[in-house]
Amino acid sequence: MAPVQIRNALRPILLFDAAACVGMGAGLVVLSDPLAGLLALPAPLLFWAGAILFPVAAYMAAVALWLPGNQPAVMLVILGNVLWVIASVALLAGVVTPNALGVAFVLGQAAFVAVLARLEQLALRATCPHRQEV
């Protein structure tokens, strides 16, 4: 995507990321017990992973609405997403032993978050063309 096309995309991408956090957070908190059985993942892990997404979503929404051009604020969102992906993959390296559906769930949500982080990075780069190292 050319920078001209993505230049105004940062705010909607951040808002979409915030909405995705709220949706996933609600699903994990409300359905942690049934999902634990379905995915062979610990219910407390699912519950607290979901619960942590609410303040993250609030931060993302605040950045999108009030600080979309603030490079450090947006970089913190991107860094948080990258760390979420790393933590998700690390879980599968022996911390938990989910079934095949659980592995697919963890890897699928990690891939989704990785795509969002990349889109946010590209959109930030387009809004700060003089800062190409972003």
Side-chain angles (χ1 to χ4, degrees):
M1 198 177 279
V4 174
Q5 296 170 325
I6 200 167
R7 180 164 308 214
N8 297 321
L10 185 55
R11 179 173 291 186
I13 293 168
L14 288 168
L15 288 173
F16 178 79
D17 197 351
C21 284
V22 170
M24 178 65 98
L28 290 174
V29 166
V30 172
L31 300 172
S32 59
D33 286 331
L35 285 173
L38 183 66
L39 305 173
L41 288 166
L45 171 69
L46 295 170
F47 178 87
W48 290 109
I52 195 68
L53 291 174
F54 297 121
V56 170
Y59 177 77
M60 288 176 177
V63 170
L65 296 173
W66 297 300
L67 302 169
N70 185 304
Q71 187 175 2
V74 177
M75 287 299 296
L76 186 57
V77 170
I78 295 167
L79 176 63
N81 281 340
V82 169
L83 292 174
W84 182 273
V85 171
I86 292 169
S88 296
V89 173
L91 279 175
L92 300 178
V95 177
V96 296
T97 53
N99 59 24
L101 188 57
V103 170
F105 175 80
V106 171
L107 292 178
Q109 62 82 36
F112 181 81
V113 173
V115 168
L116 285 174
R118 179 63 174 151
L119 290 173
E120 289 159 350
Q121 187 261 336
L122 290 172
L124 180 61
R125 181 182 292 168
T127 61
C128 304
H130 61 284
R131 300 284 310 251
Q132 291 300 315
E133 71 274 2
V134 172

